[in-house]
Coordinates of all heavy atoms in Angstrom, one line a residue:
A37 N 22.8 1.7 -17.1 CA 23.7 0.8 -17.7 C 24.8 1.5 -18.4 O 24.6 2.6 -19.0 CB 22.9 -0.1 -18.7
N78 N 27.0 9.7 10.3 CA 26.2 10.2 11.4 C 26.3 11.7 11.4 O 27.4 12.2 11.7 CB 26.6 9.5 12.8 CG 25.9 10.3 13.9 OD1 24.7 10.6 13.7 ND2 26.6 10.7 15.0
I92 N 31.8 7.7 9.0 CA 32.1 9.1 9.2 C 31.1 9.7 10.3 O 29.9 9.4 10.2 CB 32.0 9.9 7.9 CG1 33.0 9.4 6.9 CG2 32.2 11.4 8.2 CD1 32.9 10.0 5.5
G114 N 23.1 24.6 20.0 CA 24.4 23.9 19.9 C 24.4 22.9 18.8 O 25.4 22.7 18.0
K203 N 11.4 21.8 -1.0 CA 12.6 22.5 -0.6 C 13.9 21.8 -1.1 O 14.7 22.5 -1.8 CB 12.7 22.6 1.0 CG 13.8 23.5 1.5 CD 13.5 23.9 2.8 CE 14.4 25.1 3.2 NZ 15.8 24.8 3.3
D223 N -4.9 -0.1 3.2 CA -6.3 0.3 3.0 C -6.9 0.5 4.4 O -7.7 1.5 4.5 CB -7.0 -0.9 2.3 CG -6.5 -0.9 0.8 OD1 -6.1 0.2 0.3 OD2 -6.6 -2.0 0.2

Side-chain angles (χ1 to χ4, degrees):
N78 172 42
I92 298 172
K203 191 159 192 293
D223 287 334

